[in-house]
Amino acid sequence: HIMKRHNARMTVDWTDFMVEHLSKWWGELNVLVDMDKHMFDHTIHMLREYIEQEAEEIIVSMDATMDAAINAIDAADADDGENTTRIRNNNESLPSPLHPTIGIIAYQTYSSVFKEREKLLSPHSLAATLMPLIRIGFGR
């Protein structure tokens, strides 16, 4: 069935921002049920590395954005307002167009007979899921 354009209800294709639910992978890897803790430890290690790397990239990006905005404001002050248009048009100094967008993530804590595993895996999994949305500029 092909949807006619005039019947479309979504003005933007938000499916680009869909995230994959990680729980199916935890089941495949048996990280919550296997007596051998090696795979669980490796999974947490990989999630932590990913979260830290993403956080560093976000901070560097935010610093660059702030620097660009400060430089544009300084240039405008030096030119008595002639560069005001340049500040408004400088994409580096503007927040992401996704900033007012609310990211909604279906979330339920994982359960395991190993309670320390569920306490670690749930927040790490959620943080890893949220990081790409933060990186591209979702505001909340």
Side-chain angles (χ1 to χ4, degrees):
H1 173 80
I2 298 175
M3 182 188 301
K4 294 182 180 179
R5 189 155 183 78
H6 65 274
N7 290 332
R9 299 290 184 251
M10 284 180 35
T11 58
V12 178
D13 182 7
W14 294 105
T15 57
D16 289 342
F17 302 114
M18 292 178 72
V19 294
E20 184 171 5
H21 202 291
L22 297 174
S23 64
K24 73 177 182 182
W25 296 108
W26 307 150
E28 290 290 323
L29 297 171
N30 291 321
V31 296
L32 291 169
V33 295
D34 195 352
M35 292 298 290
D36 181 9
K37 199 175 168 217
H38 175 72
M39 184 55 77
F40 177 80
D41 290 341
H42 181 70
T43 299
I44 293 296
H45 173 74
M46 295 303 292
L47 286 171
R48 280 186 179 154
E49 278 190 356
Y50 174 75
I51 293 164
E52 289 170 5
Q53 176 186 341
E54 287 294 307
E56 286 176 20
E57 289 178 20
I58 290 167
I59 290 169
V60 167
S61 175
M62 289 172 66
D63 286 347
T65 300
M66 288 300 296
D67 289 345
I70 290 169
N71 290 338
I73 290 169
D74 288 345
D77 288 345
D79 290 343
D80 295 326
E82 291 179 18
N83 285 324
T84 304
T85 303
R86 187 175 65 142
I87 292 171
R88 287 191 195 118
N89 294 331
N90 182 352
N91 288 336
E92 291 179 335
S93 64
L94 296 175
S96 165
L98 296 171
H99 186 73
T101 305
I102 299 173
I104 299 174
I105 306 293
Y107 176 73
Q108 180 177 346
T109 57
Y110 300 113
S111 60
S112 172
V113 295
F114 304 104
K115 295 302 178 193
E116 74 281 354
R117 292 187 193 186
E118 68 184 47
K119 286 180 183 177
L120 279 174
L121 187 59
S122 293
H124 283 83
S125 179
L126 181 59
T129 301
L130 291 172
M131 293 310 283
L133 299 177
I134 295 168
R135 181 176 17 95
I136 63 171
F138 273 62
R140 359 177 218 174

